[in-house]
């Protein structure tokens, strides 16, 4: 991440991530925060606000539309993303983030 979002951008980021993002353990690489969806423009806007790179298009088994993704694979990146969005995320998503990052 190379850019700190404004408060307004952080609210938008949290809203998109709440609906389409996830915090997960990524095998041996550790923690991961990821947004994946079929709306390329939305994924690109999300990534641009954070100075991140978009991956795609790729197809998931059983899906017809291509998917686009932006991923934050290091602990520091996932932690920074969480800090930007914290106040805009729901309790369940916050709890999952804390479990993945600190549990």
């Amino acid at each position: 991440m190379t850019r700190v979002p404004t408060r307004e951008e952080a609210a938008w980021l949290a809203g998109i991530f709440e609906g389409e993002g996830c915090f997960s353990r990524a095998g041996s690489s550790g923690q991961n925060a990821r947004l994946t969806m079929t709306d390329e423009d939305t994924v690109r806007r999300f990534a641009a606000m954070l100075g991140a790179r978009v991956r795609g298009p790729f197809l998931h088994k059983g899906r017809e539309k291509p998917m686009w993704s932006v991923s934050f694979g290091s602990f520091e990146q996932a932690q920074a993303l969480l800090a930007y969005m914290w106040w805009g995320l729901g309790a369940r998503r916050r709890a999952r983030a804390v479990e993945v990052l600190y549990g």
Side-chain angles (χ1 to χ4, degrees):
M1 251 178 281
T2 60
R3 184 174 177 279
V4 175
T6 66
R7 184 167 176 81
E8 182 177 280
E9 289 171 336
W12 184 86
L13 291 166
I16 295 296
F17 197 87
E18 182 70 32
E20 301 294 333
C22 69
F23 287 94
S24 63
R25 296 205 187 275
S28 62
S29 64
Q31 301 87 356
N32 189 330
R34 182 178 61 253
L35 175 77
T36 303
M37 59 192 309
T38 59
D39 298 325
E40 179 185 2
D41 60 328
T42 301
V43 175
R44 289 202 180 280
R45 181 177 175 198
F46 190 95
M49 286 182 185
L50 300 164
R53 193 181 109 204
V54 173
R55 292 188 175 99
F58 53 92
L59 292 174
H60 278 285
K61 187 176 183 176
R63 292 191 181 245
E64 295 180 20
K65 287 183 166 185
M67 303 289 286
W68 304 86
S69 182
V70 60
S71 187
F72 304 91
S74 74
F75 172 78
E76 291 79 12
Q77 289 175 333
Q79 186 180 40
L81 180 63
L82 177 61
Y84 299 147
M85 301 185 306
W86 180 261
W87 60 272
L89 295 176
R92 185 181 60 82
R93 184 81 61 204
R94 284 187 203 168
R96 176 65 179 157
V98 168
E99 176 188 336
V100 167
L101 295 177
Y102 308 107

